[in-house]
Amino acid sequence: QLQASGGGLVQAGGSLRVSCAASGRTFSSYDMGWFRQAPGKEREFVAAISWNAFSTHYADSVKGRFTIARANAKNTVYLQMNNLKPEDTAVYYCASRWKSDDDYARGYRYWGQGTQVTVSS
């Protein structure tokens, strides 16, 4: 199970950190990803981190503003979002897949329930 939290309302230019807590004893063997879905739009990839945290990957739209990190001892993955823009408004979902070298924007099997992030202008 994946449980996302930390969403909220923030002004443009502000920061927010969302978290995703995973249950189970094999968290450290899973790649983790963040996706988002804005109203009327398809879900899109935001960021991903490999099972061992050796590699991170970002959508072009968030590069330089968002940072993904994980704490395997806490079974938690984080998404630090800085310099937020109104177009970042969406429901943010965390997802996991068994460790793989495949495209980090695809192949996720398990999904959390999402947390709303709203950025006001």
Side-chain angles (χ1 to χ4, degrees), residues 3-11 15-20 34-41 66 79 81 84-94 112-120:
Q3 182 75 34
S5 62
L9 174 65
V10 63
Q11 288 189 331
S15 298
L16 202 61
R17 187 178 79 163
V18 291
S19 302
C20 176
W34 284 98
F35 293 76
R36 66 187 181 188
Q37 187 167 21
K41 294 188 177 181
F66 289 13
L79 185 68
M81 302 181 288
L84 282 160
K85 304 175 180 180
E87 52 263 43
D88 294 319
T89 295
V91 177
Y92 282 71
Y93 298 90
C94 59
Q113 87 291 356
T115 185
Q116 176 70 48
V117 172
T118 303
V119 184
S120 63

Side-chain angles (χ1 to χ4, degrees), residues 69-105:
R70 65 190 297 159
N72 284 349
K74 296 182 178 180
N75 280 16
T76 301
V77 62
Y78 306 96
L79 185 68
Q80 176 68 43
M81 302 181 288
N82 298 328
N83 190 22
L84 282 160
K85 304 175 180 180
E87 52 263 43
D88 294 319
T89 295
V91 177
Y92 282 71
Y93 298 90
C94 59
S96 66
R97 69 180 194 187
W98 186 257
K99 55 188 177 182
S100 170
D101 290 329
D102 292 341
D103 182 354
Y104 277 85

